[in-house]
Amino acid sequence: MNKRVLFVVTSHDRKGDTGKPTGFYFSEVAHPWEVLSNAGYEIDFVSPKGGKAPIEGFDLSDPINRKFWEDFVCEHKVQNTMKPSEVKPHKYDAIFYAGGHGAMWDFPRNKELAAIAREIYENGGVVAAVCHGPAALINLTLSDGTYLIDGKHISAFTNEEEKAVKLDGVVPFLLEDALKEKGAEFQKTGNFQPLAIVHGRIVTGQNPQSSTKVGEGILEVLQQNQNKN
């Protein structure tokens, strides 16, 4: 085991044509980071374009968010994310896609990131995502051509939640519907209630409130993998 996890964050900084800023949702990075870093995992960051990653939900009144931001190494990595071409997939035990509305624009069709996730998964690693992060899983296929999520229990930001935040007419598609179309057995609970689903080596969560549970789910699967080796 390498004791390293690759966090993927969006490079997209605008919500459609609204002009309103977006990016990765801050707590969806900070909360899983705390779970995994406390367990001894090193976290690296990659984004579709590399460089400084845009942030939404920047709330330092949350003590975990503040702890993350005041960690010089973490702040530096978020400000200087790797490009996909710089990633060596064999170094990672898991890949985790953070959400934030920006992910809806640049995750689904990024073939470089999909190839990284495919290699990590087929090497026996974990693929995880939370909130809008599962947008990366829509077109993710394995080497045999099958969709990773086909027949898998998957959660993500729901249609109802998108309507509740009044962005169902802004996002390029509804994530719940797109996941179902690729064969996912979609799981959900009430709006903005925490839910994390572990299906084999795939871990997904519904919304920002699920971020800690997703981190715990990733850790649980990683520990199971370690015990097998």
Side-chain angles (χ1 to χ4, degrees):
M1 298 290 282
N2 299 306
K3 298 284 280 189
R4 297 176 84 97
V5 177
L6 183 65
F7 277 32
V8 188
V9 291
T10 182
S11 298
H12 192 85
D13 65 357
R14 285 290 179 269
K15 293 176 181 172
D17 299 326
T18 66
K20 294 180 180 178
T22 185
F24 76 84
Y25 204 82
F26 196 57
S27 63
E28 293 175 23
V29 162
H31 285 232
W33 163 82
E34 189 194 42
V35 172
L36 294 166
S37 63
N38 284 348
Y41 284 85
E42 184 168 347
I43 310 299
D44 291 330
F45 287 84
V46 64
S47 65
K49 294 181 180 178
K52 185 176 180 179
I55 300 172
E56 68 175 313
F58 188 74
D59 176 13
L60 295 185
S61 67
D62 178 321
I64 297 174
N65 289 0
R66 178 173 287 277
K67 179 182 174 184
F68 175 88
W69 196 246
E70 291 180 349
D71 185 305
F72 173 78
V73 173
C74 293
E75 183 200 355
H76 179 78
K77 286 183 176 181
V78 167
Q79 302 275 12
N80 300 274
T81 64
M82 291 186 288
K83 295 177 181 177
S85 60
E86 297 173 308
V87 173
K88 295 178 173 60
H90 68 272
K91 291 171 58 176
Y92 298 98
D93 302 310
I95 183 169
F96 165 69
Y97 291 92
H101 275 90
M104 295 287 283
W105 279 269
D106 64 358
F107 278 7
R109 293 180 179 82
N110 191 294
K111 293 181 179 179
E112 289 179 294
L113 290 172
I116 293 167
R118 181 184 308 115
E119 185 170 339
I120 291 171
Y121 186 77
E122 292 184 343
N123 283 342
V126 179
V127 172
V130 70
C131 197
H132 290 93
L137 308 183
I138 294 167
N139 296 313
L140 179 52
T141 56
L142 302 176
S143 294
D144 63 4
T146 60
Y147 287 104
L148 173 72
I149 60 174
D150 188 14
K152 305 296 197 307
H153 292 175
I154 299 292
S155 190
F157 207 63
T158 67
N159 292 350
E160 293 87 355
E161 286 171 322
E162 207 67 83
K163 290 171 184 171
V165 297
K166 297 182 171 59
L167 289 171
D168 53 308
V170 174
V171 289
F173 57 89
L174 290 175
L175 183 52
E176 176 183 337
D177 290 348
L179 291 164
K180 288 176 179 177
E181 285 169 9
K182 294 298 171 66
E185 299 286 341
F186 196 84
Q187 311 287 301
K188 59 184 174 181
T189 185
N191 284 3
F192 312 111
Q193 298 301 306
L195 177 68
I197 301 294
V198 177
H199 190 136
R201 289 181 286 110
I202 303 172
V203 183
T204 51
Q206 181 171 320
N207 45 37
Q209 292 78 10
S210 310
S211 301
T212 296
K213 286 183 175 292
V214 170
E216 292 167 348
I218 296 168
L219 181 59
E220 176 188 331
V221 181
L222 289 173
Q223 290 173 337
Q224 289 171 356
N225 280 357
Q226 195 169 17
N227 291 337
K228 291 175 185 176
N229 297 332

